[in-house]
Amino acid sequence: MLLRLTRFRLKTEWTRIFWFLFCILIWAGVFMMQVRIPADYNSYQSYVGMAGGTAVNTALGVSETENGAVSRQELERYLAKYRDFIYRQILMNNSVTGFLVGNALGVMLICTPLNRRKAAQLLSAGYSRLRIFLSLILAYYLVMGAIWLGASRIMCLKYPLIFAAEEREYYRATQLSWLVLTLGRVSLCVFCAFLLRGPLKTYLAAMFIELTLLLKTDRLPYFLPSAYLREALWQPGADLNVLLRGCWVSLGCILAAVLASWLAFRKRGLE
């Protein structure tokens, strides 16, 4: 019954799919603007031209080619040498953008149904308050996970990073941690959406609290999911226990947000 209600909401609000696709493009687009690392042959040629062919070739340990041209093999060697650094940038440089997307999503999927009395209509149709609440929560996290999946694939595909067979476990662990840390980070958006009335008030309040916590990351490293992305452990074979602790913190944030949101939703009128 819960899945049926969630599926019904997603079907009746299908026009928001375009907004979800827009969120994917915004998330990936902002990342590409932040990480200025050459990812294809043409951008690598421009990079070598600006940095100086001799300097780049010396740093990579390759011989300088004629007329200052670079080969595709050099690009592959460049990406292979700095793979860990590039992968770390992919994980880190979109964390703030992920919160902005999650905040907007909370307004669309939680604030809007509540303010437009859709929840009251479902309550009048015989659905329990708990079932309505769980459908709102489930729809939010499912769509947020889908947006993360789409944006993260674009980010990873932009840079042809290759992981060997023995590194697949490391890759899967970091990707799963990236997803959990993202969902933990946007849990504040969920709570604000249920607690406050009005999309603008919800968005501004969540942004203010998030930016305040962002400035306190160094003082509160064990209570913020985003703090664990700053650890230098993005090399295969590194100890991933730090990421594991970050996942537990994120799951705690999600659980706390869901419980607090339920208490706020119970006291909230749906007239």
Side-chain angles (χ1 to χ4, degrees), residues 3 6 10 137-147:
L3 292 177
T6 303
L10 293 177
I137 288 289
L138 185 60
Y140 177 85
Y141 281 111
L142 284 177
V143 174
M144 188 65 203
I147 289 177

Side-chain angles (χ1 to χ4, degrees), residues 199-263:
L200 181 60
K201 184 187 298 185
T202 297
Y203 194 91
L204 294 178
M207 281 300 305
F208 175 78
I209 297 174
E210 171 65 16
L211 292 176
T212 302
L213 292 176
L214 188 63
L215 296 176
K216 303 294 183 180
T217 300
D218 295 333
R219 299 182 182 180
L220 303 171
Y222 298 107
F223 299 96
L224 300 177
S226 58
Y228 293 90
L229 290 175
R230 297 187 176 185
E231 298 291 338
L233 43 73
W234 311 116
Q235 294 79 29
D239 185 10
L240 297 181
N241 285 330
V242 174
L243 274 187
L244 182 60
R245 290 198 299 271
C247 289
W248 283 112
V249 170
S250 296
L251 292 175
C253 291
I254 294 173
L255 179 61
V258 170
L259 293 177
S261 299
W262 167 241
L263 294 177

Side-chain angles (χ1 to χ4, degrees), residues 35-212:
V35 182
R36 299 183 179 276
I37 300 173
D40 53 53
Y41 183 64
N42 292 330
S43 60
Y44 183 69
Q45 279 187 313
S46 300
Y47 170 73
V48 173
M50 291 185 295
T54 302
V56 174
N57 290 330
T58 301
L60 295 178
V62 298
S63 59
E64 189 169 1
T65 56
E66 297 180 359
N67 302 323
V70 294
S71 64
R72 296 185 182 275
Q73 288 73 19
E74 289 181 40
L75 170 62
E76 295 174 359
R77 186 167 181 170
Y78 171 86
L79 293 175
K81 182 173 183 177
Y82 295 102
R83 185 195 64 172
D84 297 336
F85 171 76
I86 296 173
Y87 189 53
R88 176 184 171 86
Q89 296 303 306
I90 293 175
L91 296 176
M92 287 185 59
N93 280 286
N94 63 87
S95 57
V96 175
T97 311
F99 178 80
L100 297 176
V101 170
N103 202 351
L105 200 65
V107 170
M108 287 190 293
L109 291 182
I110 298 177
C111 286
T112 301
L114 292 177
N115 292 334
R116 291 184 178 178
R117 300 181 180 180
K118 291 184 179 180
Q121 293 173 2
L122 292 174
L123 191 64
S124 302
Y127 291 98
S128 67
R129 185 179 286 260
L130 177 60
R131 189 170 297 167
I132 296 171
F133 170 78
L134 291 178
S135 72
L136 292 170
I137 288 289
L138 185 60
Y140 177 85
Y141 281 111
L142 284 177
V143 174
M144 188 65 203
I147 289 177
W148 170 87
L149 181 62
S152 64
R153 292 315 94 194
I154 295 176
M155 297 173 197
C156 292
L157 290 176
K158 177 178 174 60
Y159 296 95
L161 304 179
I162 300 176
F163 291 88
E166 60 272 14
E167 298 173 337
R168 299 304 298 177
E169 183 177 353
Y170 158 82
Y171 177 76
R172 286 192 293 267
T174 53
Q175 290 289 301
L176 180 60
S177 298
W178 184 13
L179 170 60
V180 176
L181 289 170
T182 299
L183 295 181
R185 185 184 183 96
V186 300
S187 294
L188 176 63
C189 309
V190 176
F191 174 64
C192 289
F194 279 103
L195 180 65
L196 302 174
R197 295 179 181 271
L200 181 60
K201 184 187 298 185
T202 297
Y203 194 91
L204 294 178
M207 281 300 305
F208 175 78
I209 297 174
E210 171 65 16
L211 292 176
T212 302

